[in-house]
Amino acid sequence: SKRDYTKLGVEQAWFGIRTILRGLCASPEFNDESGSSKEYRYLDEKELKIILKKNKGLLKDFNTTNQKELLKCHSDYCKWLEENNYYDDMDLARNTWKYLDDLNTDNFVLFDEIYLDESQDLTDLEFRILLKLLKPQKMKSIILAGDPLQTINPSGFSWSNLRAMLWRALKQASGEEQDVDSPMKLSVNFRTPSNIVDLGNIFLNKRTYYQEESDSPQSSTLPPGKLFILQIGETHKLKLRKLMEQ
């Protein structure tokens, strides 16, 4: 129940659970001396202290109080999953990591290259799985595409954070430092009529102004299409509310 975690927001809780406590379980950098990355267990209070020492930025949105609430929330979440015989995407990723860790790669076909879209939802654990699917000599042959404005799971995503995660995981996987290319912004839309893209640019411009971000206007290869502006009245609001409550 939300009232049990008065200092912890919903999005904040899911970020802490999915991205940190679960998503970092394969990273030896944030594990204690017992090596929980090999035990395949999720992080706990000991590992949070290690993160505070090594990378405070990951916990910049958490103070001492809501860190404790985060750990309790995760414990309750784990109990709820177990009681209902459920598993989430990080459970699936952790089982995949364990399977690949135990696998004899001599009998397993590895990839030369990997291309991944929607990387804004990628956790450290999921990226390490992708690295395991690449041939050792092709460790850097991975191209990621993503849009922070299309984030489904709050992952603390930013391109600078993603580069740091890639650099850390590549170094630990290869045993040596690796260069990570800077992100390239894509600005040409191939599927949306130009006048709709122009309308979208107005909203993007306002957003970048208030967020104090660099502007990145989009262009389109398609001719103008029909642009409709729908006025939502009280009748529509009632229908939408009933639809959302179903």
Side-chain angles (χ1 to χ4, degrees):
S1 171
K2 189 177 186 298
R3 62 178 176 270
D4 295 330
Y5 316 105
T6 57
K7 305 297 182 183
L8 193 66
V10 175
E11 184 173 330
Q12 188 181 31
W14 189 234
F15 164 68
I17 289 173
R18 183 177 185 272
T19 302
I20 298 177
L21 298 180
R22 292 179 162 243
L24 287 173
C25 69
S27 174
E29 183 178 4
F30 300 124
N31 283 290
D32 61 18
E33 293 179 357
S34 64
S36 61
S37 63
K38 284 296 182 183
E39 295 175 3
Y40 310 107
R41 65 175 178 80
Y42 295 126
L43 275 56
D44 58 21
E45 187 175 4
K46 293 179 182 178
E47 284 80 40
L48 279 188
K49 291 180 180 179
I50 295 173
I51 292 175
L52 282 172
K53 290 181 181 179
K54 294 187 175 182
N55 194 335
K56 289 183 179 180
L58 284 172
L59 292 171
K60 61 182 176 62
D61 296 323
F62 296 89
N63 55 38
T64 304
T65 301
N66 57 22
Q67 281 179 36
K68 292 180 180 179
E69 287 198 355
L70 172 64
L71 291 167
K72 181 182 183 303
C73 186
H74 183 229
S75 176
D76 291 343
Y77 176 63
C78 291
K79 291 176 184 176
W80 175 79
L81 289 173
E82 184 176 357
E83 288 171 358
N84 291 278
N85 199 27
Y86 294 156
Y87 62 89
D88 67 9
D89 60 336
M90 289 297 99
D91 289 325
L92 181 61
R94 184 179 61 167
N95 290 342
T96 302
W97 171 264
K98 182 180 184 301
Y99 173 78
L100 292 174
D101 228 18
D102 297 336
L103 189 67
N104 182 356
T105 54
D106 294 337
N107 302 319
F108 188 75
V109 178
L110 299 174
F111 295 98
D112 291 297
E113 296 179 339
I114 290 178
Y115 298 82
L116 178 73
D117 196 8
E118 309 297 352
S119 62
Q120 72 274 0
D121 291 311
L122 196 66
T123 63
D124 180 271
L125 172 59
E126 291 168 321
F127 181 68
R128 290 174 188 276
I129 290 172
L130 294 177
L131 291 182
K132 279 184 174 289
L133 297 176
L134 283 167
K135 294 177 180 177
Q137 67 273 23
K138 297 285 188 177
M139 193 71 73
K140 287 185 61 180
S141 298
I142 181 169
I143 295 178
L144 307 176
D147 181 354
L149 299 183
Q150 295 184 32
T151 300
I152 296 176
N153 287 296
S155 59
F157 177 86
S158 72
W159 288 111
S160 58
N161 286 345
L162 180 62
R163 285 192 73 196
M165 183 186 77
L166 301 183
W167 181 86
R168 186 171 64 241
L170 283 168
K171 180 182 178 182
Q172 291 166 352
S174 65
E176 56 187 30
E177 292 189 6
Q178 303 281 343
D179 292 328
V180 178
D181 294 334
S182 298
M184 178 178 66
K185 289 186 176 181
L186 304 178
S187 60
V188 181
N189 190 310
F190 294 92
R191 64 181 182 182
T192 307
S194 58
N195 56 335
I196 296 178
V197 171
D198 291 340
L199 179 63
N201 281 331
I202 296 174
F203 291 98
L204 285 175
N205 179 264
K206 292 296 182 182
R207 183 186 185 280
T208 54
Y209 173 79
Y210 288 109
Q211 295 288 336
E212 298 183 348
E213 299 171 345
S214 58
D215 196 13
S216 181
Q218 303 290 299
S219 63
S220 173
T221 60
L222 300 179
K226 290 184 178 181
L227 183 61
F228 297 97
I229 297 180
L230 302 179
Q231 183 175 356
I232 305 297
E234 290 302 320
T235 303
H236 299 101
K237 288 182 181 178
L238 182 60
K239 289 181 179 179
L240 287 172
R241 190 178 297 114
K242 287 183 178 180
L243 180 64
M244 295 298 291
E245 290 174 352
Q246 290 179 2

